[in-house]
Amino acid sequence: MRKQTLKFGSLAGVISVIGFSIWPVIMRLIGKDLDDIEAGEIIGYISLFLALSMIFFGIRRIREQSGGSISFKNAFLNGLSMAVVASVIYVVGWIIYYPNFIPDFADTYTQSQIDLLITEGLNPQETQEKIDALWEFNENYKKPHIMAGYTFLEIFPLGVVVALISATILRRR
């Protein structure tokens, strides 16, 4: 079971890294500007979901190797382990990719969030407080351990959801 967990978790992680690596190509193919954060988020989460679908196939393989039965608990724990492996690979990939290929991403993202904030029509003091918080986030994101934490939180919760759904579907006594 450990072998399958590592195999399918690693596969999910590699697919997720490929997803954000080819993101600029996909954006250009669909006619979007690379600064279009909303479109980028949609493409990003679709690629994460596709990558994390490997959790389903991994649990199914473990069930097949266990004589066709698996408890919800065993399925979920294996799926959760796969999500952890995938998330760690995703984080390492991002930490390598981000500074080398899109070093201005945090600034672009921060500015897009400020632009959205300004359209909300809050009073000037509230707007300025939120803008200051966004720039503080931007500065903190430059610290590798904080970037790693945010990046992990980008993929891992989705992995937990996929593991829960997969365990529910695949459990068999």
Side-chain angles (χ1 to χ4, degrees):
M1 282 190 238
R2 241 175 250 235
K3 181 180 176 185
Q4 298 305 326
T5 298
L6 287 172
K7 176 182 174 182
F8 283 92
S10 296
L11 187 57
V14 168
I15 292 169
S16 69
V17 170
I18 290 169
F20 67 66
S21 297
I22 65 170
W23 158 81
V25 174
I26 294 170
M27 291 289 281
R28 285 190 179 100
L29 284 174
I30 63 172
K32 296 289 183 180
D33 184 36
L34 293 180
D35 291 343
D36 187 340
I37 298 296
E38 187 175 320
E41 286 177 341
I42 292 168
I43 291 168
Y45 279 105
I46 288 171
S47 71
L48 286 180
F49 178 75
L50 292 174
L52 292 170
S53 68
M54 293 299 106
I55 292 171
F56 177 87
F57 297 110
I59 294 171
R60 189 177 73 182
R61 174 72 55 88
I62 291 168
R63 184 184 73 182
E64 290 168 358
Q65 291 178 340
S66 300
S69 66
I70 192 168
S71 68
F72 173 83
K73 178 183 174 184
N74 192 14
F76 177 67
L77 291 175
N78 277 287
L80 194 60
S81 297
M82 290 176 215
V84 169
V85 171
S87 298
V88 168
I89 291 170
Y90 181 78
V91 168
V92 170
W94 181 252
I95 287 173
I96 293 168
Y97 183 83
Y98 166 73
N100 293 303
F101 296 98
I102 52 171
D104 62 340
F105 172 76
D107 293 335
T108 302
Y109 179 79
T110 301
Q111 190 57 56
S112 76
Q113 295 306 300
I114 290 170
D115 294 344
L116 284 173
L117 183 64
I118 290 170
T119 64
E120 287 181 9
L122 301 173
N123 72 47
Q125 183 180 352
E126 283 181 278
T127 300
Q128 190 57 51
E129 287 172 3
K130 291 186 177 194
I131 288 172
D132 291 344
L134 285 165
W135 283 117
E136 183 180 345
F137 166 80
N138 183 297
E139 284 303 309
N140 285 331
Y141 196 75
K142 294 174 183 172
K143 300 172 187 168
H145 65 285
I146 292 177
M147 182 194 310
Y150 277 112
T151 305
F152 188 85
L153 289 174
E154 192 174 298
I155 185 173
F156 184 69
L158 185 56
V160 172
V161 170
V162 172
L164 275 169
I165 292 169
S166 298
T168 301
I169 292 170
L170 293 169
R171 71 176 178 222
R172 200 180 283 163
R173 297 179 185 183

